[in-house]
Amino acid sequence: MRKLILIFSVILMGCVEHAPSHPPVGGMFSEKELAISKNRTKNLNIIEREQIEDWIKNQEEEFFPMTMNYWVNNKELSSQKRKSNGEAVSYQYDIYDFDKVKLYETPKKNINAVFGRFEELKPVEDALRYMEHNQEVTLLVPSSLGFGTYGDNGKIPSDMPLMIKLRLL
């Protein structure tokens, strides 16, 4: 009977929800910690913008700033018809670093994603709203609009700007 109680106790302890390793969004940060975080993000964004702009200057291909703080290789993209919430699109993209090394072999693909219910990187969603069928663009995305401070727990480390080759299917 004691063995049964011990086994049951061990099983119950395994079901206990553990506290997250970092505070949740909107969690327990003091005003000072929030100010430090905001300043860090602001300074990192300034540095990354300068680095991306310098990188662009050394490329044969032209890139143009979008209002959301990323760049695209299509000057006319933001003047194309914008898709509304509720419209569905299918797309795929590959992620590269700024040495043009592909980070994942298999492209990220999404079929019939609905605007307004996207669970995607904001620059990808923004560009897709303006793209036409079978159009391809390359996005240059600062880390704050990519995977940010935590990375993707895979091949994208923290604070890494990305190059995204996006195609509307």
Side-chain angles (χ1 to χ4, degrees), residues 3-18:
K3 287 182 182 180
L4 186 60
I5 292 174
L6 180 62
I7 291 171
F8 185 69
S9 298
V10 170
I11 291 172
L12 280 177
M13 288 177 20
C15 295
V16 173
E17 187 175 333
H18 299 285

Side-chain angles (χ1 to χ4, degrees), residues 24-104:
V25 175
M28 323 265 186
F29 288 116
S30 69
E31 289 296 320
K32 182 179 177 183
E33 290 169 323
L34 284 174
I36 289 169
S37 178
K38 285 180 185 177
N39 284 333
R40 178 192 178 282
T41 301
K42 180 180 175 183
N43 292 334
L44 180 61
N45 199 15
I46 290 169
I47 291 167
E48 284 183 359
R49 282 188 66 82
E50 290 172 357
Q51 290 172 338
I52 292 171
E53 287 169 350
D54 286 343
W55 184 89
I56 290 171
K57 289 176 189 173
N58 295 314
Q59 304 305 305
E60 290 181 20
E61 184 174 25
E62 287 188 81
F63 287 87
F64 306 92
M66 295 291 282
T67 57
M68 193 180 209
N69 194 29
Y70 67 94
W71 292 259
V72 66
N73 66 338
N74 182 325
K75 185 175 186 174
E76 306 301 320
L77 186 66
S78 62
S79 63
Q80 294 176 184
K81 185 178 181 246
R82 186 177 192 276
K83 293 173 189 62
S84 302
N85 283 348
E87 290 186 56
V89 293
S90 297
Y91 62 92
Q92 71 179 35
Y93 63 87
D94 288 298
I95 300 175
Y96 298 79
D97 64 18
F98 273 76
D99 291 326
K100 299 182 181 177
V101 173
K102 193 176 191 180
L103 300 178
Y104 289 98

Side-chain angles (χ1 to χ4, degrees), residues 153-166:
N153 294 320
K155 295 187 178 188
I156 301 171
S158 64
D159 301 325
M160 181 179 188
L162 302 169
M163 179 184 303
I164 299 173
K165 295 192 180 201
L166 175 63

